[in-house]
Amino acid sequence: MGIPYKFTRNKALVEYHDLLIQAFSDIGYKVVLTPIAIQSSHEMLTSGEVDTVAYDDLADEDGRDHIITTSFPVALTEGIVFYSKVRPIKEKNLSKYRGAISKNNAAIIREAKKRNLKFIQTASPFHCIQTVVEKKADYCITIKEVGKSSANANPESRGTLLSLEKPFVKVPVYVSMKKKYEKDLPKFETALKVRLRGDLSKYPNIRPALNTNP
């Protein structure tokens, strides 16, 4: 399973992957976490570098005939605009600012292009947040829970970033894997449903976004 740079420092990502690892374990699979490079995890999956990815927002259409995806989203989250509290921005003027978006967030990138925003693509959520800290970007758009955890884990950004109240775009998050595991997908989905409907107290950072009625 592909994971982003500095994965272990992000509590939201650790919780999310732990949930999936437990569900895979329930059906007899052992998950090996593989750090991803700058390319998206979807590209790693379609190229065969990893067997599964935890984050699939369905915006990438390439290679869909070679992979399978859960029939329901594991999480129902949103892309959020983060910015420095000493350099406030206005949502109505977003196109006038310089932005940063994590390359893995294809749904956010697609929406940003629709709005004709000016932005760079970053290697990870941490990198996205850091561009704002270093004044290389006026804002960063990333997944709400991941962005907050990234900001809290970085001493330079902790307590210095704010977010716009209105979500930039809604993002349902699915799990995808190589097509050769198709026969085991129903078993994985069953195990995942049990986990999502069970005790989620050990996932405080992501619990509000989890799909508890899959």
Side-chain angles (χ1 to χ4, degrees):
M1 180 180 289
I3 55 172
Y5 175 62
K6 293 188 177 181
F7 160 80
T8 56
R9 289 176 55 187
N10 192 299
K11 292 181 180 179
L13 286 175
V14 170
E15 289 176 7
Y16 180 63
H17 284 75
D18 179 69
L19 174 67
L20 300 183
I21 288 170
Q22 296 304 318
F24 273 115
S25 177
D26 290 341
I27 63 169
Y29 277 88
K30 179 181 178 181
V31 174
V32 177
L33 300 178
T34 304
I36 61 174
I38 293 178
Q39 78 262 41
S40 71
S41 56
H42 179 78
E43 291 172 350
M44 290 193 73
L45 178 61
T46 55
S47 68
E49 294 180 65
V50 294
D51 291 318
T52 183
V53 293
Y55 175 91
D56 189 347
D57 57 25
L58 304 186
D60 278 311
E61 298 180 357
D62 295 339
R64 288 281 164 189
D65 53 334
H66 299 298
I67 63 176
I68 53 175
T69 304
T70 52
S71 60
F72 57 87
V74 181
L76 298 164
T77 186
E78 52 204 22
I80 293 291
V81 178
F82 294 88
Y83 61 94
S84 171
K85 64 181 181 181
V86 299
R87 302 191 310 279
I89 64 175
K90 295 182 179 180
E91 182 181 359
K92 65 179 181 180
N93 296 327
L94 207 56
S95 62
K96 296 181 180 180
Y97 301 106
R98 300 167 302 150
I101 302 174
S102 178
K103 182 174 175 62
N104 204 45
N105 299 140
I108 298 177
I109 291 174
R110 181 174 61 185
E111 180 65 21
K113 289 180 177 178
K114 284 183 182 178
R115 300 192 194 188
N116 295 315
L117 300 187
K118 300 184 293 289
F119 63 93
I120 60 172
Q121 294 186 30
T122 64
S124 69
F126 279 104
H127 184 198
C128 190
I129 293 294
Q130 191 64 26
T131 60
V132 178
V133 173
E134 297 176 354
K135 301 181 181 179
K136 294 178 180 178
D138 299 309
Y139 64 84
C140 158
I141 312 177
T142 190
I143 297 300
K144 180 179 180 179
E145 296 76 19
V146 175
K148 287 184 175 180
S149 289
S150 296
N152 290 334
N154 185 342
E156 294 181 281
S157 62
R158 190 181 304 127
T160 69
L161 296 189
L162 301 175
S163 60
L164 294 179
E165 291 186 14
K166 184 179 179 180
F168 181 73
V169 63
K170 297 290 186 180
V171 182
V173 178
Y174 298 79
V175 176
S176 290
M177 59 192 76
K178 290 179 180 177
K179 203 166 187 177
K180 69 177 183 179
Y181 297 106
E182 190 168 18
K183 65 180 178 62
D184 286 332
L185 182 59
K187 290 190 291 183
F188 173 68
E189 290 189 332
T190 298
L192 197 51
K193 287 179 181 179
V194 171
R195 291 280 174 178
L196 288 169
R197 292 169 179 164
D199 180 13
L200 300 175
S201 60
K202 66 176 182 177
Y203 307 117
N205 290 282
I206 63 170
R207 183 164 58 177
L210 291 175
N211 183 9
T212 56
N213 188 30

